[in-house]
Amino acid sequence: MSVLSLQHVNQFFGTDSARVQVLNDVSFDAEPGTLSLIVGPSGSGKSTFLTIAGGLLTPTSGEVLFDGTSYHDTSKHDRDRLRLESIGFVLQAYHLLPT
Ligand SMILES: Nc1ncnc2c1ncn2[C@@H]1O[C@H](COP(=O)(O)OP(=O)(O)OP(=O)(O)O)[C@@H](O)[C@H]1O
Ligand SMILES: [Mg+2]
């Protein structure tokens, strides 16, 4: 069974004439013990994909499951705990204090 599964994920940003689709029906499965690289040109949606996979962003539609449990069925607190214990997440744009 895959440890991480994205099923038919769509992500839109913006509204009305500024509405853009960044992820279009993306499905992805990561098997335990495997390494996956998400590659593509700048602006193709890699960070959007990763923030959705890490439970930081809820997609416009579609499902994300970790160890068989849908993020829909977990609280924000549960997803925070998942990132503490099971998902290492290094943000592309981190916001550390200059000091
Ligand atoms: N919060 C947001 N609001 C509006 N548009 C956004 C938002 N986040 C990302 N986008 C847009 O979605 C598209 C994909 O962005 P994303 O950051 O996922 O790309 P990327 O593949 O990670 O790019 P890079 O290689 O430069 O890091 C871009 O057009 C970006 O401007
Ligand atoms: Mg990025």
Side-chain angles (χ1 to χ4, degrees):
M1 190 181 80
S2 60
V3 68
L4 174 70
S5 179
L6 278 75
Q7 297 175 357
H8 304 290
V9 165
N10 292 286
Q11 179 64 42
F12 290 84
F13 288 118
T15 53
D16 303 326
S17 60
R19 187 166 162 90
V20 288
Q21 184 164 18
V22 173
L23 298 182
N24 182 3
D25 195 24
V26 172
S27 294
F28 169 84
D29 283 286
E31 304 300 327
T34 62
L35 173 70
S36 301
L37 304 181
I38 310 301
V39 297
S42 180
S44 60
K46 304 178 297 293
S47 291
T48 304
F49 172 93
L50 289 172
T51 51
I52 289 171
L56 289 163
L57 175 69
T58 301
T60 309
S61 65
E63 276 235 275
V64 185
L65 294 93
F66 189 87
D67 259 348
T69 302
S70 170
Y71 285 170
H72 281 141
D73 300 326
T74 60
S75 65
K76 181 183 177 302
H77 180 265
D78 289 342
R79 293 196 300 279
D80 289 346
R81 180 150 288 281
L82 199 64
R83 277 193 306 280
L84 180 67
E85 295 174 347
S86 303
I87 299 178
F89 201 103
V90 181
L91 295 169
Q92 179 173 0
Y94 50 86
H95 300 284
L96 300 176
L97 297 175
T99 51

